[in-house]
Amino acid sequence: MVNSYANNVQEFQRIEILLVEDSPSDANLTIKGFVNTKIANNLHWVEDGETAMKYLYQEGEFVNAPRPDLVLLDLNLPGMDGREVLTEIKSDSSLKLIPVVILTTSTDEQDILRSYNLNANCYVTKPLDVYQFIQVIQLIKDFWLLAVKLPPYS
């Protein structure tokens, strides 16, 4: 199942964001951070790696799902974990240009190194404090939606 959220800003082009997060509370904080922005965006939330890959490959119920411009990926997912999702995204020629932001609680240096070795575009550790978490989401939003030029569809 995918949950979709859109802000009400009228813009020429909306940014499509796929959030892969198994924690409803972390997902809700992330969604609030992106919905309350002046950048037009559609945020789609899935709770596990298998569903994320079905979404990305537009399979089953996701046959008409939009291609994400950005993926926010938790590493510690049930079933197919975020490391496996990242590996598959970055090894598929049709998906590898989609920027992937690792957004996780892990501060393990091996997770950080492995994520970058798997071509993650950046690695962000979720703060435990709710206020700091919201600030981190704001920074991600500002950087990826305001400063960065995202790749066109291939």
Side-chain angles (χ1 to χ4, degrees):
M1 184 172 125
V2 66
N3 298 297
S4 298
Y5 306 85
N7 67 3
N8 294 323
V9 175
Q10 298 299 316
E11 294 285 338
F12 292 101
Q13 180 179 355
R14 290 190 170 275
I15 303 297
E16 299 292 336
I17 303 165
L18 177 61
L19 172 63
V20 187
E21 172 61 65
D22 63 319
S23 166
S25 60
D26 287 357
N28 285 332
L29 287 174
T30 305
I31 291 162
K32 285 179 186 176
F34 277 92
V35 169
N36 295 328
T37 180
K38 293 180 178 162
I39 304 294
N41 66 83
N42 294 322
L43 192 143
H44 311 277
W45 169 39
V46 297
E47 298 182 69
D48 60 69
E50 291 87 357
T51 307
M53 295 316 303
K54 287 178 184 176
Y55 185 97
L56 289 165
Y57 287 128
Q58 297 176 311
E59 296 174 348
E61 67 183 286
F62 306 112
V63 69
N64 294 316
R67 180 182 190 269
D69 298 298
L70 179 67
V71 174
L72 303 176
L73 178 63
D74 186 15
L75 289 182
N76 302 312
L77 299 168
M80 180 183 202
D81 74 9
R83 296 156 195 86
E84 295 170 297
V85 172
L86 179 60
T87 299
E88 191 163 340
I89 290 171
K90 294 303 183 175
S91 64
D92 186 293
S93 62
S94 68
L95 301 175
K96 69 181 179 181
L97 291 181
I98 300 172
V100 177
V101 174
I102 303 300
L103 183 59
T104 186
T105 57
S106 176
T107 58
D108 185 307
E109 288 183 11
Q110 291 302 316
D111 280 339
I112 297 167
L113 183 59
R114 183 172 180 204
S115 294
Y116 281 116
N117 279 329
L118 293 172
N119 297 309
N121 295 88
C122 71
Y123 190 103
V124 179
T125 302
K126 297 177 198 173
L128 298 177
D129 177 76
V130 172
Y131 178 72
Q132 289 176 346
F133 187 95
I134 292 169
Q135 286 182 316
V136 165
I137 297 303
Q138 183 70 36
L139 289 170
I140 291 170
K141 175 197 64 81
D142 288 348
F143 181 74
W144 286 100
L145 302 187
L146 292 175
V148 171
K149 179 72 174 161
L150 296 168
Y153 295 111
S154 54

